[in-house]
Amino acid sequence: MIEKCLFPAAGYGTRFLPATKAMPKEMLPIVNKPLIQYGVEEALEAGCTTMAIVTGRGKRSIEDHFDISYELEHQIQGTDKEEYLKELRQVMRECTFSYTRQNKMLGLGHAILTGESLIGNEAFAVILADDLCVNNNRGVLSQMIELYKRYKCSIVAIEEVDPKEVDKYGIIAGDMIEENVYRVNFMEEKPKVDKAPSNLAVIGRYILTPDIFDILRVTKPGKKGEIQITDALMEQAKNGRVLAYKFEGMRYDCGSIDGFVKATNALYAKMQ
Ligand code: UTP
């Protein structure tokens, strides 16, 4: 039902310099798999088969990662090393990949609008690959799509954060309509710690209805001078068309060194 998943992946990843100077943040590996592949696997598990990736300068290795490397295939053919490519081969078999470039980094909202040509006029998922979500049963996107089937409106994934950290996130306020589900009536990007409407923070998983594109087209630059998806979602929320979902699972902010190290340790421990 939600067939396409958009991956805004054009950001500079400045919190991870110098690693991200010539290499996309989305290609940083957690153990032996790049962040973006975790995201694609989560989308596939949720039933999405078209991966729409918004890239930028210096991001070519993302395209190469989801393509066949004939020399390598030839080199490892018939050896036990083929096992290492099993999951990647599966996503390449089951999904199609399309790409577009954001040539000016004007913010997440602008990156999503740039993806319109790949999405068209249908509801779609968004994954920010630097937020790695792990759950033993159903993936976070899969949980959100279940909810979308019932409510047919935009949905943001949220988690409770330390009240001192609210100025790093989009923060929502809303009324609980069922366990773990809120109807959003207010949201604000990176509010001041003493002015935040709650400590319910939006993380990098969204389901968006396609009217978001028209809203984004007229959304003025907000915090940090960027076009913020939070501001566009607030327009939908005014009509009661945004839900916030407290998901099941763990989320690691792999765009920060702390989150990256925690994710690496947790996934390595799981492999043992
Ligand atoms: P972030 O702010 O976390 O990513 O944006 P960043 O800008 O790459 O990282 P830092 O803060 O400099 O370390 C959230 C997501 O939105 C994408 C990023 O790639 C990331 O996945 N994004 C952000 C874009 O695609 N384009 C933009 O203009 C801004």
Side-chain angles (χ1 to χ4, degrees), residues 8-214:
Y12 291 120
T14 52
R15 283 170 295 160
F16 236 102
L17 284 168
T20 47
K21 183 163 179 266
M23 175 186 154
K25 170 166 78 171
E26 297 74 17
M27 287 301 291
L28 289 171
I30 300 294
V31 189
N32 60 350
K33 195 189 287 182
L35 279 167
I36 189 133
Q37 190 182 330
Y38 287 99
V40 167
E41 288 174 8
E42 183 183 332
L44 183 61
E45 185 240 4
C48 300
T49 51
T50 300
M51 307 298 157
I53 306 183
V54 180
T55 66
R57 282 179 292 282
K59 304 273 186 171
R60 280 288 295 277
S61 57
I62 298 177
E63 292 174 50
D64 291 339
H65 185 71
F66 295 108
D67 198 357
I68 294 171
S69 165
Y70 285 102
E71 280 170 27
L72 178 68
E73 295 283 335
H74 180 71
Q75 188 74 26
I76 66 169
Q77 197 175 23
T79 74
D80 52 8
K81 294 207 174 102
E82 283 198 284
E83 183 65 21
Y84 297 139
L85 288 183
K86 209 172 100 193
E87 287 162 330
L88 182 56
R89 282 175 173 165
Q90 189 195 345
V91 296
M92 286 166 57
R93 238 188 346 263
E94 295 182 21
C95 313
T96 58
F97 292 85
S98 56
Y99 299 88
T100 190
R101 278 197 182 210
Q102 184 190 21
N103 48 28
K104 282 191 197 136
M105 305 326 162
L106 298 178
L108 176 58
H110 181 262
I112 291 173
L113 182 58
T114 305
E116 183 182 15
S117 57
L118 305 177
I119 299 294
N121 189 27
E122 59 190 273
F124 61 103
V126 177
I127 287 185
L128 304 185
D130 46 349
D131 264 347
L132 175 60
C133 291
V134 183
N135 191 34
N136 289 335
N137 309 315
R138 268 177 329 143
V140 173
L141 197 61
S142 182
Q143 298 167 38
M144 293 170 74
I145 288 179
E146 276 307 306
L147 197 61
Y148 176 79
K149 284 179 186 159
R150 288 196 282 128
Y151 288 95
K152 304 270 172 37
C153 66
S154 290
I155 303 173
V156 296
I158 51 164
E159 70 175 16
E160 282 184 49
V161 296
D162 183 329
K164 289 195 288 283
E165 306 257 289
V166 289
D167 56 356
K168 297 193 178 118
Y169 296 90
I171 300 292
I172 68 114
D175 304 316
M176 198 191 268
I177 55 171
E178 61 176 275
E179 205 188 347
N180 296 327
V181 181
Y182 299 77
R183 193 172 294 283
V184 175
N185 48 40
F186 184 71
M187 58 199 300
E188 187 181 346
E189 185 62 28
K190 300 186 176 63
K192 293 215 167 74
V193 170
D194 54 345
K195 299 239 165 68
S198 75
N199 67 334
L200 298 173
V202 178
I203 64 113
R205 298 290 180 279
Y206 307 76
I207 307 275
L208 300 174
T209 51
D211 54 309
I212 200 77
F213 294 126
D214 283 337

